[in-house]
Amino acid sequence: MLHDIPLITTLSAGFGLALVLGFAAARLRLPPLLGYLLAGVMIGPATPGFVADVALAGQLAEIGVMLLMFGVGLHFSLGDLLAVRKVAVPGAIVQIGVATAMGAGVAWAWGWTPGAGLVLGLSLSVASTVVLLRALESRGELASGNGRLAVGWLVVEDLVMVLVLVLLPPLAGLLGGHTGGAAQEGALWATLGLTLAKVSAFVALMLLVGRRLLPRLLWWVAGTGSRELFTLCVIAVAMGVAYGSARLFDVSFALGAFFAGMMMRESEYSHRAADESLPLRDAFSVLFFVSVGMLFDPAVLLSDPGKVLAVTGVIMLGKTVAAVALVLLLRHPLNTALTVGASLAQIGEFSFILAGLGVSLGLLPREGQNLILAGAMLSIACNSLLFAAIAPLEAWLRARFAWARELALRPDPLAELPGTVHDACLSGQVVLVGYGRVGTRIADALASHAIPFVVAELRREAVEALRASHRAAVLGDASEPAVLIQAHIARASMLVVAIPDLFDARKMVEIARTLNPGIRVLVRGDDAAQAALWQQENLGTVVHADAAMAQEMLGQILAHHPAGSHAHGVAGH
């Protein structure tokens, strides 16, 4: 009977061994994902002992990819995507071209056919979304400007790979493989046109229908008061849209789930949806790394060490240098360039799909598929180390090279107030940190009362929108002194922190009071205990959600209840 339950055995072995080896890696101060990868190797077909179902593990990993991308979409608006288009679109396209050329050059040096070189290069050019998101989340940079740029870059890569996967079969005959369809010019243009039409139809459907229907569906289900139904709705939407988009429009599961999350972000229940899907998302994303380990054959490290190093070098060095150079050419600071470079220094799910397609079309030798898997394994294992090296590398470059100091301090036009801001707005103004739901309401109220204010915000598109509406705003992290200086904190009358993170808020208050000892501070907080601690330390006034809600409800009671109205009137006298 045990032989008839591959799903349970694969899940049990994958989760259990990943837990043990992930814990061991963490105890050794190594990234847990190294343990997850090693767990996959141990239950894969290339090592002796128990062998889990590779195909089934791959499908379970796809569930993790769907849920992970859905969660990112819940925190990543359409405006965020459009805000990085000027860098992400040209950068991703050029970087794919450069990485493909490097991979093809390596294949040519080995004597492979042009078709094999093209497939190898394309496989090495596209990074794994799962690995990137894990790295950004562990560093707390997913919501930062650098994080949003990196995610936008990968979304563009995914769209390009959708076209590649569709166009490769009809081109296979011309490239020396088994033709997957007509290779005539007319047929190629028809295939390309059909693919673009499908992708455009999917995006239009999500923007016109999904943007209205999905938030309303979540609202309907939330109205039942059933937590199980709410969780089921979130999972069903994530997986249903992902599957439907792949089945009907030929886009990837990841891209479909990402758009589903972006559309559901319009709902007031989006934060709850993210919280409800988090446990499943984390569990199944672990299986992604396990499935990668299962595909890896350690013997290739001994049989072709030189080729493995060459492939890994293209992924971790060639792609990184190309991405860093492109971001710098597009006039972004050194730290942004290094972050994007480290984000792309790995490969993953699309690379495996491309390699498998290349082998089936007779373009890529089986050896090439093994090398791609080896490069993926090594680059994923080392990616967290690259992220950890960003800060010391930037510090080393700035200490030794004048050009690095200039690039690191390169001004962002949105990081400085424009000269058109009137001096009256920069004396006694309110410095408002954060322009989310709370910050937007505060800004509107300040504007209606003609109180001057300057907004400090991390999201580029929000700063651009503020400036377009003739409101003073600066781009950047307000826990950095330079950002508050640009907001003229020294001449401000009040600092209002409209983000719930009291840890960062403490740093902002310390900077503000250093530059302006008499400034008043008002902070948003979601924790009553932390709010009380702030009051004791005289750091400022904290308004937390429970207190604000209770005050609002009490006001409504006093305004409408007869006894309350009388008491309110007596109290007023």
Side-chain angles (χ1 to χ4, degrees):
M1 181 177 177
L2 291 178
H3 296 289
D4 299 325
I5 50 172
L7 175 61
I8 295 177
T9 53
T10 300
L11 283 172
S12 301
F15 282 138
L17 204 53
L19 171 63
V20 173
L21 297 178
F23 177 75
R27 295 289 291 177
L28 294 172
R29 299 185 181 277
L30 296 171
L33 68 85
L34 289 176
Y36 308 154
L37 292 168
L38 185 57
V41 174
M42 293 180 66
I43 61 175
T47 54
F50 170 77
V51 177
D53 191 317
V54 177
L56 192 56
Q59 291 188 45
L60 293 171
E62 286 286 7
I63 296 175
V65 174
M66 293 180 200
L67 295 177
L68 196 63
M69 288 302 293
F70 178 75
V72 173
L74 286 171
H75 297 92
F76 203 94
S77 68
L78 182 63
D80 295 330
L81 197 59
L82 294 176
V84 299
R85 68 189 185 281
K86 294 179 182 178
V87 178
V89 174
I93 293 173
V94 173
Q95 178 261 317
I96 288 174
V98 171
T100 301
M102 287 190 289
V106 169
W108 175 80
W110 295 338
W112 290 9
T113 64
L118 178 64
V119 174
L120 177 68
L122 287 169
S123 299
L124 303 184
S125 70
V126 58
S128 167
T129 307
V130 180
V131 178
L132 168 68
L133 296 178
R134 276 303 190 92
L136 292 175
E137 282 182 337
S138 65
R139 292 170 56 85
E141 291 194 13
L142 186 57
S144 69
N146 291 350
R148 293 177 188 276
L149 175 57
V151 172
W153 192 297
L154 257 69
V155 169
V156 176
E157 284 192 351
D158 282 1
L159 288 170
V160 173
M161 287 304 119
V162 168
L163 295 177
V164 170
L165 290 173
V166 172
L167 292 176
L168 196 58
L171 284 172
L174 297 176
L175 295 171
H178 314 309
T179 181
Q184 288 139 4
E185 183 179 353
L188 287 176
W189 282 111
T191 302
L192 178 60
L194 180 61
T195 303
L196 291 174
K198 284 184 175 181
V199 173
S200 301
F202 167 69
V203 174
L205 182 66
M206 294 305 294
L207 292 178
L208 297 176
V209 179
R211 199 172 188 177
R212 294 173 173 81
L213 179 61
L214 295 183
R216 182 164 294 184
L217 174 63
L218 202 61
W219 184 79
W220 286 335
V221 174
T224 66
S226 170
R227 181 174 180 178
E228 301 90 72
L229 278 177
F230 187 87
T231 303
L232 181 61
C233 176
V234 172
I235 302 302
V237 166
M239 297 185 64
V241 173
Y243 175 77
S245 62
R247 191 76 174 175
L248 300 175
F249 301 100
D250 292 330
V251 303
S252 66
F253 288 134
L255 202 61
F258 175 74
F259 269 89
M262 277 207 306
M263 299 306 102
M264 196 170 275
R265 186 182 187 272
E266 303 295 325
S267 169
E268 59 185 295
Y269 296 102
S270 60
H271 292 289
R272 182 182 168 190
D275 292 339
E276 295 290 342
S277 63
L278 185 61
L280 277 176
R281 187 183 75 189
D282 287 345
F284 279 97
S285 64
V286 167
L287 288 179
F288 168 79
F289 297 102
V290 174
S291 69
V292 172
M294 291 174 67
L295 296 171
F296 177 60
D297 184 0
V300 74
L301 299 176
L302 300 176
S303 61
D304 286 312
K307 291 182 178 179
V308 170
L309 284 176
V311 167
T312 307
V314 171
I315 298 169
M316 297 189 64
L317 185 61
K319 282 175 62 179
T320 301
V321 172
V324 169
L326 285 168
V327 176
L328 290 176
L329 284 174
L330 292 169
R331 303 194 59 78
H332 279 259
L334 180 61
N335 182 264
T336 299
L338 293 175
T339 301
V340 173
S343 301
L344 303 176
Q346 38 80 18
I347 60 174
E349 53 272 19
F350 263 116
S351 304
F352 309 147
I353 297 171
L354 274 170
L357 181 62
V359 171
S360 67
L361 293 173
L363 291 172
L364 186 70
R366 184 69 64 178
E367 176 194 10
Q369 188 177 31
N370 291 333
L371 290 173
I372 289 169
L373 289 169
M377 182 81 172
L378 294 174
S379 63
I380 290 172
C382 296
N383 191 247
S384 58
L385 300 178
L386 281 181
F387 269 98
I390 290 176
L393 176 60
E394 183 180 7
W396 182 82
L397 290 172
R398 292 176 64 174
R400 285 165 176 77
F401 303 104
W403 58 266
R405 289 191 291 273
E406 292 177 5
L407 291 174
L409 299 174
R410 173 179 284 174
D412 188 319
L414 294 182
E416 299 179 357
L417 284 176
T420 54
V421 176
H422 197 273
D423 284 343
C425 296
L426 301 177
S427 179
Q429 81 280 13
V430 173
V431 174
L432 173 61
V433 178
Y435 196 68
R437 293 181 179 179
V438 175
T440 302
R441 292 184 178 184
I442 295 173
D444 291 342
L446 291 173
S448 66
H449 287 82
I451 298 174
F453 65 94
V454 178
V455 177
E457 169 60 44
L458 276 169
R459 294 174 299 134
R460 176 174 291 271
E461 78 282 358
V463 175
E464 290 175 342
L466 281 163
R467 293 196 177 182
S469 60
H470 306 290
R471 291 182 176 180
V474 293
L475 176 71
D477 184 353
S479 62
E480 297 291 333
V483 175
L484 289 180
I485 290 172
Q486 284 299 325
H488 292 262
I489 194 70
R491 299 168 63 184
S493 62
M494 179 177 289
L495 171 68
V496 178
V497 182
I499 60 173
D501 189 341
L502 289 181
F503 178 78
D504 283 342
R506 181 183 289 269
K507 292 190 287 185
M508 298 173 197
V509 173
E510 291 173 353
I511 295 167
R513 287 194 167 158
T514 300
L515 299 172
N516 185 348
I519 193 169
R520 294 188 62 188
V521 175
L522 183 63
V523 180
R524 170 191 170 190
D526 293 340
D527 189 317
Q530 284 186 317
L533 182 61
W534 269 59
Q535 298 289 150
Q536 292 175 8
E537 297 183 13
N538 197 29
L539 292 171
T541 302
V542 179
V543 178
H544 58 89
D546 292 342
M549 188 181 299
Q551 184 65 32
E552 175 67 21
M553 294 174 73
L554 178 60
Q556 292 293 325
I557 293 170
L558 294 176
H560 296 94
H561 193 278
S565 300
H566 176 70
H568 186 60
V570 172
H573 291 291

